[in-house]
Amino acid sequence: MCVDCVEKEYPNRGNICLENGSFLLNFTGCAVCSKRDFMLITNKSLKEEDGEEIVTYDPDLCKNCHHVIARHEYTFSIMDEFQEYTMLCLLCGKAEDTISILPDDPRQMTLLF
């Protein structure tokens, strides 16, 4: 992973968890070839551990010189009544999100008494 290619390391993305893609606004340009172009997605792997789906890849590979800029990790799991998502990447940032799988989100329910 290359900190010289990004504007900010692991920017906080709130609840925006991306399974694939690259956050090009954070990309300053390749430190090796000095070009600012799209990224190549390589070495993508999907594995499941204890009901958790983990997607990892080197998305941030320079299209021109194949310099590895960052490693992207995305996880998805179901915990009780919620879907949980996380993302961690030097370029794309870090994020977490939790979504209810029920028609009415119990966290949004108000007490009637």
Side-chain angles (χ1 to χ4, degrees):
M1 299 193 300
C2 183
V3 296
D4 296 328
C5 297
V6 297
E7 187 173 317
K8 183 177 181 182
E9 297 177 40
Y10 300 101
N12 185 354
R13 300 292 303 279
N15 62 354
I16 300 173
C17 298
L18 304 173
E19 184 176 341
N20 56 34
S22 300
F23 184 41
L24 294 177
L25 291 175
N26 193 35
F27 181 51
T28 58
C30 180
V32 174
C33 70
S34 302
K35 293 189 178 177
R36 191 170 191 265
D37 209 340
F38 292 105
M39 308 288 171
L40 296 175
I41 294 176
T42 59
N43 300 330
K44 187 172 183 175
S45 68
L46 170 66
K47 63 181 176 179
E48 289 191 33
E49 293 179 0
D50 301 323
E52 184 174 74
E53 182 179 289
I54 302 170
V55 177
T56 57
Y57 61 94
D58 297 330
D60 312 317
L61 191 69
C62 177
K63 181 176 143 183
N64 301 298
C65 69
H66 300 281
H67 171 67
V68 176
I69 296 162
R71 181 174 178 267
H72 190 96
E73 182 171 306
Y74 167 86
T75 61
F76 167 77
S77 62
I78 296 178
M79 299 296 264
D80 299 322
E81 301 168 344
F82 298 95
Q83 294 177 334
E84 295 184 351
Y85 303 87
T86 62
M87 175 184 73
L88 184 63
C89 177
L90 177 75
L91 177 67
C92 301
K94 56 186 174 184
E96 294 180 350
D97 197 12
T98 302
I99 299 171
S100 174
I101 59 175
L102 299 174
D104 295 316
D105 190 341
R107 298 173 299 178
Q108 306 297 323
M109 303 290 281
T110 58
L111 295 175
L112 299 174
F113 303 103

